[in-house]
Amino acid sequence: MTNQLVVESMGRVNYGRLVGERKGILGGVLHERQELHGWNMTALELPQLPSPEIVKKAGAASNVSATDAAFHALVFTSERSADGFLEMTGWGKGYVWVNGFCLGRFWDQGPRISLYVPAPVVRAGVNEILIFELDGAPGACLWIRSEPNLG
């Protein structure tokens, strides 16, 4: 069994005394007091759609525990192309793509509850949603609504 460590870049400090402070893994990786050796890093270039190899390497929802970061692939059908709002209530934190187009990031801490889905992204027929859930907190379901949920 292999263990995975997911490190997310949440942005940069661009003011005050911490300007230019480095982020991420800055030294050795420790488990308890033991330094780990022989580990590999794979960068996920987000918001670009991850390649199928990266999705497989990072883990699909069907083969990881409920608390791990994972990709969730879903489909929905639409009669026509139309604007909509993808409601992420119940999900933790992560990224969403619809038909390869990055809608953006979501986080249960707010302030956003739903993500705008522009009409040109939605096709008549079958559409694909890819969600990268970082907190291991997948919601029970997704809703695509015609109006945003403003809380």
Side-chain angles (χ1 to χ4, degrees):
M1 181 175 145
T2 61
N3 292 316
Q4 294 182 1
L5 172 66
V6 177
V7 179
E8 179 187 12
S9 173
M10 291 279 298
R12 301 286 182 254
V13 177
N14 62 356
Y15 59 90
R17 65 181 180 81
L18 296 177
V19 168
E21 178 127 338
R22 295 174 58 199
K23 294 180 72 172
I25 300 174
L26 303 176
V29 175
L30 302 177
H31 178 263
E32 299 287 329
R33 294 179 302 256
Q34 177 69 43
E35 186 168 346
L36 302 178
H37 300 282
W39 55 278
N40 296 316
M41 181 190 80
T42 303
L44 297 176
E45 297 293 331
L46 302 176
Q48 295 175 351
L49 184 65
S51 68
E53 298 82 34
I54 294 291
V55 172
K56 184 176 180 182
K57 185 182 281 190
S62 60
N63 61 6
V64 296
S65 75
T67 59
D68 289 340
F71 285 95
H72 301 265
L74 309 161
V75 297
F76 70 96
T77 57
S78 178
E79 292 180 8
R80 61 184 171 82
S81 179
D83 289 333
F85 296 88
L86 184 65
E87 189 171 323
M88 302 301 298
T89 302
W91 291 79
K93 176 173 53 173
Y95 294 81
V96 179
W97 296 265
V98 173
N99 294 328
F101 178 81
C102 184
L103 296 183
R105 294 191 286 187
F106 64 91
W107 193 5
D108 61 357
Q109 301 298 309
R112 214 181 306 172
I113 297 172
S114 54
L115 296 169
Y116 173 64
V117 184
V121 172
V122 179
R123 300 186 286 247
V126 178
N127 294 272
E128 299 172 349
I129 299 175
L130 182 65
I131 301 171
F132 186 34
E133 168 59 59
L134 294 165
D135 286 348
C141 58
L142 286 174
W143 297 273
I144 299 178
R145 304 183 187 278
S146 59
E147 298 291 328
N149 179 350
L150 300 177

